[in-house]
Amino acid sequence: MTVLWDKQTLLSVMNGLSIGCLPETFSGVSIDSRSLIEGDIFFCIKGNSLDGHDFAAQAYAKGAGVLVVAQNRLAEMKALAAPLIVVPDVLKALEKLAQAARERSKATIIAVTGSVGKTTTKEALKQALKTVGKVYANPGSFNNCWGVPLTLARMPANSDYGIFEIGMNHKDEIRPLVKLVRPHVALITHISAGHIGFFKNLEEIADAKAEIFEGLDDEGVALLNADSHFFSRLVQKAEQCGVKKS
């Protein structure tokens, strides 16, 4: 089984307090007790309607190697007698682990966004690139504020390519995610009315998608659809972020 993280790195990166006997190594990261694999690090993230702490017992029963829990839930989590890492904010801890995964990686990182075709494009890139190296890509549509850091934290250190789909429903949602991913290549598939309910017009959608350029590596490349009605607008946005036209 491939080692993804070790105990000391986890504690150092997340600046967490360990309680109980933690395994020395971990091979997976999870935020969903239903799909958890034995030995995973389970992050008890609090969402809008569900709280991972309420599923901590289930995760531990399924074999979670350690539970990452919030300080304000520590009293009840201690009752599980499970190995714990205690942090002020569980989502922030996951983001820190994702950042550490990005910093240690020597992979070429590709970020994909757009109103349609994100997952298809990601899968096509995965199939093409796996012929020339080790490719890691987020499964399904794990492209939101939980899915992107989770996927990044799961990326093996020896990956040659990392492909990350980044989605949004509102402005300012892509910006923090792409700054976490820090891609070498940013690709926008197409601009359409897929999220028009949260915007006044398609121009606002294009501008929100263009946030993907803000996290590009210094020598990063933007790939755009030249047939798009918004091509010139997106080129301008990319250039404003320091991307050189070629």
Side-chain angles (χ1 to χ4, degrees):
M1 189 174 290
T2 303
V3 174
L4 190 62
W5 296 102
D6 64 73
K7 176 177 68 175
Q8 292 306 319
T9 301
L10 275 189
L11 294 172
S12 174
V13 165
M14 296 190 290
N15 195 25
L17 170 68
S18 65
I19 296 178
C21 185
L22 275 65
E24 291 298 320
T25 61
F26 305 89
S27 57
V29 181
S30 177
I31 62 171
D32 188 338
S33 61
R34 296 169 299 180
S35 57
L36 180 142
I37 298 173
E38 185 175 356
D40 278 359
I41 307 159
F42 183 71
F43 283 81
C44 298
I45 291 176
K46 186 180 187 305
N48 295 326
S49 57
L50 297 174
D51 189 332
H53 294 87
D54 297 332
F55 301 92
Q58 181 180 340
Y60 185 49
K62 288 189 68 175
V66 66
L67 308 176
V68 182
V69 304
Q71 177 70 45
N72 62 3
R73 299 291 296 269
L74 178 57
E76 60 192 287
M77 293 297 104
K78 273 186 174 180
L80 298 176
L84 306 176
I85 296 178
V86 186
V87 295
D89 185 307
V90 178
L91 179 56
K92 293 295 184 186
L94 178 59
E95 290 171 350
K96 288 179 180 179
L97 191 62
Q99 184 178 13
R102 179 63 183 89
E103 288 175 351
R104 74 180 180 180
S105 177
K106 293 179 172 57
T108 297
I109 305 296
I110 304 168
V112 180
T113 194
S115 301
V116 294
K118 294 185 293 295
T119 302
T120 301
T121 300
K122 177 197 68 181
E123 291 301 322
L125 287 168
K126 180 180 177 181
Q127 293 302 314
L129 292 172
K130 74 178 185 180
T131 64
V132 293
K134 297 177 181 177
V135 182
Y136 179 76
N138 48 350
S141 297
F142 280 30
N143 60 21
N144 64 6
C145 62
W146 301 336
V148 172
L150 172 64
T151 304
L152 195 50
R154 287 174 169 175
M155 183 170 65
N158 65 347
S159 299
D160 296 309
Y161 299 94
I163 309 170
F164 296 89
E165 178 181 333
I166 302 180
M168 66 94 190
N169 290 311
H170 302 83
K171 63 178 293 189
D172 301 326
E173 288 184 343
I174 288 178
R175 182 175 293 111
L177 298 180
V178 76
K179 288 184 177 179
L180 197 61
V181 172
R182 290 191 291 116
H184 301 98
V185 180
L187 188 158
I188 298 180
T189 58
H190 185 63
I191 304 298
S192 68
H195 307 104
I196 196 67
F198 303 104
F199 296 93
K200 295 178 182 178
N201 49 50
L202 291 178
E203 285 76 13
E204 286 193 353
I205 293 177
D207 291 347
K209 296 295 185 184
E211 292 172 16
I212 198 170
F213 304 135
E214 297 180 29
L216 267 173
D217 186 75
D218 290 342
E219 299 298 322
V221 175
L223 294 181
L224 302 172
N225 179 2
D227 294 327
S228 170
H229 176 70
F230 298 97
F231 177 69
S232 296
R233 188 184 191 94
L234 294 173
V235 168
Q236 183 180 32
K237 291 289 185 181
E239 290 177 336
Q240 288 172 355
C241 292
V243 181
K244 297 177 182 178
K245 191 173 181 179
S246 61

